[in-house]
Amino acid sequence: MTNSINHSRRRFVQGLAAAGLGSSFWLPVWARDMPQAHTLRGTSFDLTIGESPVNFTGAPRMATTINGSIPAPTLRWREGDTVTLRVTNRMAHDTSIHWHGILLPANMDGVPGLSFKGIAPGETFTYQFRLKQSGTYWYHSHSMFQEQTGMYGPIIVEPREPEPFSYDRDYVVMLSDWSDEDPRRVFEKLKKMSDYYNFNQQTVADFWRDVQQDGFKPTLQNRLMWGDMRMMPTDLADVSGYTYTYLMNGTTPAGNWTGLFKKGEKIRLRFINGAAMSFFDVRIPGLKMTVVAADGQNIHPVTVEEFRIGVAETYDVIVEPADEPYTIFAQSQDRSGYARGTLSPHAGLVAAVPEPDPRPMLTMADMGHGGMAGMGHAAMGHGNGHHDMPGMDHSKMGHDMMRHGNGLSHPPNEADNPTVDMQTMAPKPRLDDPGIGLRDNGRQVLTYADMHSLFEDPDGRDPGREIELHLTGHMERYIWSFNGRKFADAEPLRLRYGERVRITLVNDTMMEHPIHLHGVWSDLEDAQGNFMLRKHTVNMPPGTQRSYRVRADALGRWAYHCHLMFHMEAGMFREVRIEEGAVS
């Protein structure tokens, strides 16, 4: 009963925004005066990690904060400077900060157990590193579930050289998800019932509707195939708006974060997805957005009306508003809620808030099983065996797959593996696919294929070898992994310092995974193997196969993981070791 009351209360607050009652004058006391972030500039910083009271839904809770705010303070640095950050832990348990996308020495990366031992209660740890890049990035905890409870903030590294685009005003738009539930409890629920938060299950009425549309046999066969994959076509997000309140710069939809502008100004919006588990589809009705940077790196400008931002990705856009208010609308991928704010020429003005789009439905083609409707259950692949490819070397990489050539194979460890519930049979890069729920929606939607870095391949060498990794999991057991091995059971991936490697990822699961390799860039290739786009986080929709090049130019032990927090915690995590002469 308590959960339904809190859910109703939160929906009431979101409803205020939808009704145009977004100013703080109309908000109940508990929804006002949330601790707001501020900007810190320079080269020397003192950051204090502690617990602070918050109230996003009418239910008081404790959050994990940096300097008392959600998000944490925006850190503005300058390319070429050396920054020093003294981080003090005022909590009763260990903590850490990871500087996402920032190139730095391994011992400054902030991953407990790999980079350093963590920051114990009462201790101060000093991070110090020189900035080798510019752009929009972010920072967050890499300890347990602290990121979910509020510990994240923006980073802006100002460039030394003039940028290839102009603007008059600059705003960070940081998106995140908040739950009043203890994230440990959320994780326990997912382990017991992976679809606990999916309230969009198909019904008997849906079955008979599909029978009328498609016929009885195709409909039954479709349901049986989904049953074989132990999932529903509505399984788009593990955690939904049933428990999440979606925030924009730490503000609820009713709180209506507002960025002011003057008539005729160009505005740079730095979008950061600092959520634990949520993808967002972002648009500003009435305004086109020119995307000028992805993951902090400048690209050839692309003008769109909407984009999907995966967890941990960043996109910088330029907009040119007229003299009127506009709603910044970021709906969750499963359409169970949204974050919302306003761009306005004057305080207090609001624009209409659109209704969320219809709930998307997965198809067999989305799962990498296109054209397989008549092939029966075995086509789905539940550890259906494998074949070795010529040149495959199981003696390295902890027996992970080595790939020499263009063939696709499933790793031996996927076969008859009780922690792997499906394999994709026909993966494609699908770089030009806007994504599930965004196709043919009447708007111009950004795709990876639209984006090209302003520079050529920064390395220039062909990869000396290839590594193929499969994203694997078991939805019912809520186990996630690379190549069918959870982190606890896997050997590190070993790279030789200075080598150029191609990594090919194949998503054998039904979920979308944003994959982040610490310490080095991921240079995404197009479908023909040409350098296309430099990123730090590569999103992998279900049934896709995507490749990127890595220059192993950072010695040390690095994390490599899905950036969906509960997936990482459930095993989709590897250690990458870059060592002198480690691999021949």
Side-chain angles (χ1 to χ4, degrees):
M1 183 64 180
T2 302
N3 280 345
S4 62
I5 291 173
N6 288 342
H7 182 58
S8 298
R9 180 186 289 119
R10 183 171 58 76
R11 285 299 183 205
F12 167 73
V13 175
Q14 290 186 339
L16 289 176
L21 303 179
S23 72
S24 61
F25 176 81
W26 292 98
L27 292 178
V29 172
W30 49 262
R32 305 178 202 167
D33 303 322
M34 296 299 295
Q36 295 297 302
H38 56 286
T39 298
L40 302 177
R41 303 172 183 265
T43 59
S44 182
F45 304 86
D46 290 290
L47 303 178
T48 301
I49 301 172
E51 294 181 328
S52 303
V54 297
N55 192 330
F56 291 110
T57 68
R61 292 290 186 267
M62 296 300 292
T64 307
T65 59
I66 299 176
N67 289 14
S69 69
I70 296 179
T74 298
L75 302 179
R76 274 196 175 262
W77 301 337
R78 186 166 171 79
E79 183 182 8
D81 285 353
T82 295
V83 293
T84 302
L85 303 110
R86 293 168 294 274
V87 180
T88 301
N89 182 7
R90 296 299 185 203
M91 299 189 296
H93 42 271
D94 289 3
T95 191
S96 61
I97 293 180
H98 166 58
W99 316 97
H100 188 104
I102 302 295
L103 303 179
L104 36 62
N107 63 345
M108 295 288 111
D109 192 48
V111 180
L114 293 185
S115 310
F116 74 145
K117 65 179 182 179
I119 308 172
E123 288 189 355
T124 297
F125 182 84
T126 300
Y127 293 90
Q128 188 172 74
F129 44 88
R130 183 176 177 273
L131 299 167
K132 304 175 183 179
Q133 66 210 92
S134 62
T136 303
Y137 304 93
W138 65 298
Y139 63 112
H140 59 84
S141 173
H142 227 287
S143 298
M144 289 301 290
F145 300 126
Q146 293 169 10
E147 184 183 341
Q148 175 73 92
T149 57
M151 195 172 158
Y152 47 81
I155 295 172
I156 299 172
V157 185
E158 296 169 351
R160 285 285 179 183
E161 300 297 327
E163 293 179 286
F165 47 83
S166 63
Y167 56 95
D168 304 297
R169 196 177 292 266
D170 186 353
Y171 285 117
V172 167
V173 182
M174 191 163 205
L175 304 170
S176 59
D177 44 29
W178 169 268
S179 174
D180 280 346
E181 294 185 85
D182 186 320
R184 292 171 296 186
R185 178 66 176 143
V186 174
F187 188 58
E188 289 170 1
K189 289 178 179 178
L190 292 172
K191 292 292 287 183
K192 292 176 182 176
M193 184 187 297
S194 63
D195 61 353
Y196 182 91
Y197 294 101
N198 180 6
F199 286 81
N200 290 324
Q201 304 284 0
Q202 287 182 306
T203 65
V204 172
D206 293 327
F207 177 85
W208 290 112
R209 180 203 64 205
D210 293 347
V211 166
Q212 288 183 326
Q213 178 177 310
D214 303 322
F216 183 83
K217 185 176 179 180
T219 299
L220 179 62
Q221 189 173 53
N222 178 272
R223 295 299 198 273
L224 289 172
M225 285 195 293
W226 284 108
D228 260 8
M229 291 197 296
R230 302 177 179 89
M231 66 175 293
M232 296 286 287
T234 57
D235 284 342
L236 289 164
D238 295 340
V239 190
S240 72
Y242 177 75
T243 189
Y244 275 155
T245 297
Y246 300 106
L247 306 179
M248 183 176 293
N249 291 336
T251 304
T252 65
N256 187 28
W257 175 84
T258 299
L260 298 177
F261 63 87
K262 294 180 180 178
K263 183 178 179 180
E265 286 186 328
K266 287 185 178 180
I267 305 171
R268 180 180 190 167
L269 300 175
R270 302 174 184 264
F271 285 93
I272 303 169
N273 188 345
M277 292 292 292
S278 303
F279 289 71
F280 293 97
D281 295 333
V282 178
R283 68 185 192 267
I284 307 175
L287 267 187
K288 291 193 173 183
M289 300 176 285
T290 299
V291 185
V292 295
D295 287 0
Q297 301 293 288
N298 292 335
I299 64 170
H300 292 278
V302 183
T303 299
V304 298
E305 295 172 282
E306 187 168 18
F307 62 86
R308 172 163 292 167
I309 184 167
V311 174
E313 290 186 308
T314 74
Y315 289 116
D316 292 33
V317 309
I318 304 291
V319 296
E320 300 183 49
D323 192 24
E324 59 183 281
Y326 298 86
T327 294
I328 305 173
F329 187 68
Q331 60 183 333
S332 64
Q333 184 183 22
D334 68 346
R335 311 298 186 244
S336 64
Y338 59 85
R340 166 258 188 169
T342 300
L343 286 177
S344 178
H346 304 289
L349 296 180
V350 295
V353 179
E355 288 292 321
D357 285 340
R359 180 188 74 199
M361 298 281 283
L362 293 165
T363 67
M364 285 295 141
D366 290 321
M367 300 293 98
H369 302 300
M372 302 183 71
M375 295 181 66
H377 306 211
M380 296 304 99
H382 303 286
N384 291 337
H386 68 281
H387 63 277
D388 284 349
M389 290 179 294
M392 188 183 299
D393 180 358
H394 297 303
S395 67
K396 299 184 178 69
M397 304 284 179
H399 303 290
D400 279 313
M401 179 174 298
M402 301 293 298
R403 194 163 77 93
H404 304 273
N406 297 321
L408 170 69
S409 171
H410 289 280
N413 199 56
E414 280 194 63
D416 303 315
N417 188 331
T419 69
V420 176
D421 64 3
M422 68 170 285
Q423 297 173 333
T424 183
M425 296 294 127
K428 303 290 183 184
R430 299 215 308 263
L431 296 166
D432 60 353
D433 180 12
I436 298 160
L438 294 178
R439 303 171 190 131
D440 303 317
N441 66 3
R443 300 185 288 268
Q444 187 175 358
V445 184
L446 182 72
T447 70
Y448 273 10
D450 294 327
M451 295 185 287
H452 297 271
S453 294
L454 275 182
F455 42 84
E456 299 299 322
D457 180 356
D459 187 287
R461 296 174 294 167
D462 289 331
R465 62 193 178 111
E466 303 183 39
I467 300 170
E468 188 174 287
L469 287 171
H470 287 239
L471 313 180
T472 47
H474 193 291
M475 193 68 178
E476 281 188 328
R477 299 183 181 186
Y478 208 74
I479 295 172
W480 302 99
S481 56
F482 287 105
N483 284 7
R485 286 189 179 90
K486 294 192 299 180
F487 171 62
D489 303 324
E491 291 293 319
L493 299 173
R494 297 180 184 274
L495 305 183
R496 185 179 67 252
Y497 180 69
E499 74 170 326
R500 185 71 156 163
V501 177
R502 173 178 289 117
I503 295 177
T504 294
L505 298 178
V506 180
N507 188 354
D508 277 336
T509 79
M510 69 294 290
M511 302 298 295
E512 203 153 355
H513 302 282
I515 303 298
H516 173 44
L517 174 56
H518 290 220
V520 295
W521 286 112
S522 300
D523 292 333
L524 187 66
E525 297 177 333
D526 64 19
Q528 290 72 45
N530 303 307
F531 168 72
M532 187 176 77
L533 179 67
R534 170 158 277 191
K535 296 188 96 273
H536 53 57
T537 305
V538 176
N539 190 40
M540 293 293 299
T544 56
Q545 174 181 334
R546 294 177 174 179
S547 297
Y548 50 90
R549 306 171 192 176
V550 169
R551 181 168 63 192
D553 56 2
L555 290 168
R557 302 173 65 189
W558 302 98
Y560 189 27
H561 60 92
C562 175
H563 220 286
L564 298 180
M565 186 184 68
F566 294 127
H567 288 194
M568 180 178 71
E569 185 64 26
M572 195 176 280
F573 185 104
R574 281 290 176 93
E575 176 186 347
V576 172
R577 291 188 185 178
I578 301 178
E579 301 169 314
E580 295 277 8
V583 179
S584 59

